[in-house]
Amino acid sequence: MTTSTRLTSLFLAVLLSILAPIGSASLTYDMATGNQSGFDVNTSEADTNPTNYPGKGEVWTYPGFVGRLNYLGEPTTFTFTNTGPQKTTNPKSMFYFTFQTTPDTSIYREFFLVGRAKGLYHNGNQHDFNNSNFTITTSGAQFVLTKGAGTETAEVGQIGYNTSGGSGTYNGSNAYSFKYPYKLIWLDITLIRTTNKNATTTRGYYESTITVNTASGVNTTLQLFAEYNPRTSQATPWNYYFGVENLLPASFPFSQLLAKNTVANSLIVGNLKYYSTDDTAKVSFASNAAGNQTDFRLTSTTGSDWFAYTLVFDPTLPNTAATAITSATTYFPATQTSVASPVGGSNTGYFMEGEVRIYVNANLFPLSGLYSSYIYCFLTKGN
């Protein structure tokens, strides 16, 4: 498989109803001092026993450090899944770098993940609130986050937090004005290479795709690469982060959409983000998984009633004009720049960020009920 022809897709789920909003979430990748590529596939860590890592202390200084996952939202559950090329032989339950150059999935190096959750108080101070690591040893394993993060205001009469994370009852004017103790929560993610391997002295590049889903409805994909003494004739693979952030609650009332009737006055349903240290890319949108239709509809979950809506993409990086999507071949390119990290430092590379929006025809009144829709977001390498 050649990476120059690869398409990666994620989707936004839109659910419309008469239910009350319950909050939204965000999940993004931050390289920090980590890597998307260059991992040595012919090396294992000195300690390959997952049970030793919860109390080992921080491991972000290890050579397998991938970077941070920055999270905003309610307490949630993270699910880590191996969605990349799977190795040929059993067992197939963990994470693997498999040979990409040919490709040949019988050539592999196994690894597991070690993470550590930390919070950024509203005053900018960091807090290692779990004071331990968590391990993800099998594909589909989960980490439960018991804290929330964001800048939302607490409700009067309810428990709130001040800028240093202290709690108290918010009276509408005192210091306990934040709904969450943290402005941001991040997960440090490090891959630990085990001794389980096959033929890892085969020269070339090895790939692994990890998808992270949350119970909050946000998801992200990390495309990672390892290598062993690649030849100059072997093309450097495409490493990247591609994420979609839902900005709507699990369901929202039709009244929020009713007055959204133009490109300029459209409802934000999500954010899309792409980042790569080395490769530019472009994004496109479709109403089907095949990526060739733009017949966007919200369809009743209990009947055949439906109504159309128009999809809009408003790029913020690079900052260009909002565009109504009428063709699946309308592309939006990344730009090369440097972007500050919310935790500190900056990342330099190719970025694409933007708001995904929708609007409907004026004077629309659908039948009562619950309506849903999928918006498919496609990523293609190159300009």
Side-chain angles (χ1 to χ4, degrees):
M1 172 180 226
T2 58
T3 56
S4 60
T5 60
R6 175 178 297 160
L7 285 174
T8 296
S9 65
L10 294 174
F11 63 83
L12 281 166
V14 179
L15 194 62
L16 179 103
S17 74
I18 59 172
L19 301 177
I22 61 171
S24 59
S26 167
L27 181 67
T28 57
Y29 170 69
D30 182 352
M31 177 175 281
T33 58
N35 293 286
Q36 295 177 313
S37 61
F39 302 105
D40 185 352
V41 79
N42 201 41
T43 300
S44 64
E45 259 61 52
D47 185 353
T48 60
N49 185 349
T51 62
N52 292 338
Y53 279 87
K56 186 178 283 291
E58 298 191 52
V59 296
W60 63 266
T61 58
Y62 283 37
F65 182 51
V66 175
R68 308 179 184 119
L69 294 177
N70 295 333
Y71 176 72
L72 297 173
E74 299 273 0
T76 192
T77 299
F78 293 81
T79 302
F80 295 79
T81 307
N82 176 12
T83 51
Q86 188 59 268
K87 76 182 180 78
T88 303
T89 56
N90 289 322
K92 304 177 181 179
S93 59
M94 295 183 69
F95 298 87
Y96 308 92
F97 283 116
T98 59
F99 191 61
Q100 178 265 342
T101 304
T102 309
D104 184 346
T105 55
S106 69
I107 303 172
Y108 67 89
R109 165 72 69 175
E110 177 188 89
F111 64 89
F112 61 90
L113 301 173
V114 175
R116 193 177 185 98
K118 297 180 181 180
L120 188 71
Y121 286 130
H122 295 277
N123 63 9
N125 292 335
Q126 299 183 13
H127 184 208
D128 188 1
F129 58 84
N130 273 355
N131 199 32
S132 66
N133 300 319
F134 63 89
T135 56
I136 303 295
T137 57
T138 58
S139 178
Q142 297 179 328
F143 166 68
V144 178
L145 178 68
T146 59
K147 307 289 185 179
T151 57
E152 292 93 329
T153 303
E155 294 185 15
V156 174
Q158 300 296 315
I159 295 297
Y161 300 88
N162 61 22
T163 59
S164 58
S167 62
T169 301
Y170 180 52
N171 65 10
S173 61
N174 61 11
Y176 303 111
S177 60
F178 294 103
K179 179 180 179 180
Y180 302 110
Y182 303 108
K183 181 180 180 180
L184 175 80
I185 287 174
W186 76 92
L187 309 182
D188 284 334
I189 303 297
T190 303
L191 60 90
I192 304 298
R193 292 155 293 183
T194 76
T195 56
N196 185 9
K197 65 182 178 68
N198 181 55
T200 53
T201 55
T202 305
R203 295 182 65 177
Y205 295 100
Y206 297 70
E207 64 181 323
S208 182
T209 305
I210 301 172
T211 298
V212 185
N213 296 103
T214 72
S216 306
V218 290
N219 58 79
T220 187
T221 296
L222 289 171
Q223 183 70 37
L224 306 176
F225 285 90
E227 62 186 60
Y228 176 73
N229 195 21
R231 295 178 173 87
T232 56
S233 60
Q234 295 171 325
T236 303
W238 183 19
N239 59 82
Y240 62 88
Y241 151 80
F242 183 41
V244 170
E245 307 168 25
N246 287 344
L247 299 182
L248 288 175
S251 60
F252 66 99
F254 177 69
S255 58
Q256 285 186 237
L257 183 59
L258 180 62
K260 305 297 185 179
N261 307 131
T262 65
V263 170
N265 181 30
S266 47
L267 178 69
I268 302 174
V269 299
N271 272 338
L272 182 145
K273 296 189 177 184
Y274 166 81
Y275 168 61
S276 174
T277 54
D278 304 308
D279 297 297
T280 191
K282 55 189 176 182
V283 68
S284 59
F285 301 88
S287 58
N288 63 333
N292 56 15
Q293 296 179 14
T294 53
D295 181 21
F296 295 101
R297 300 180 179 187
L298 276 155
T299 303
S300 171
T301 59
T302 57
S304 57
D305 187 40
W306 60 270
F307 62 92
Y309 65 89
T310 300
L311 182 72
V312 174
F313 186 60
D314 186 6
T316 56
L317 187 63
N319 188 6
T320 56
T323 302
I325 307 301
T326 58
S327 169
T329 57
T330 299
Y331 294 102
F332 301 88
T335 187
Q336 190 174 23
T337 188
S338 182
V339 174
S341 162
V343 184
S346 63
N347 299 306
T348 300
Y350 294 90
F351 290 85
M352 159 57 68
E353 299 182 6
E355 296 175 347
V356 182
R357 300 169 171 263
I358 63 174
Y359 70 88
V360 295
N361 292 332
N363 303 315
L364 174 67
F365 291 98
L367 298 176
S368 63
L370 191 67
Y371 292 76
S372 65
S373 180
Y374 286 106
I375 300 168
Y376 292 88
C377 314
F378 291 88
L379 183 71
T380 308
K381 184 180 181 182
N383 294 313

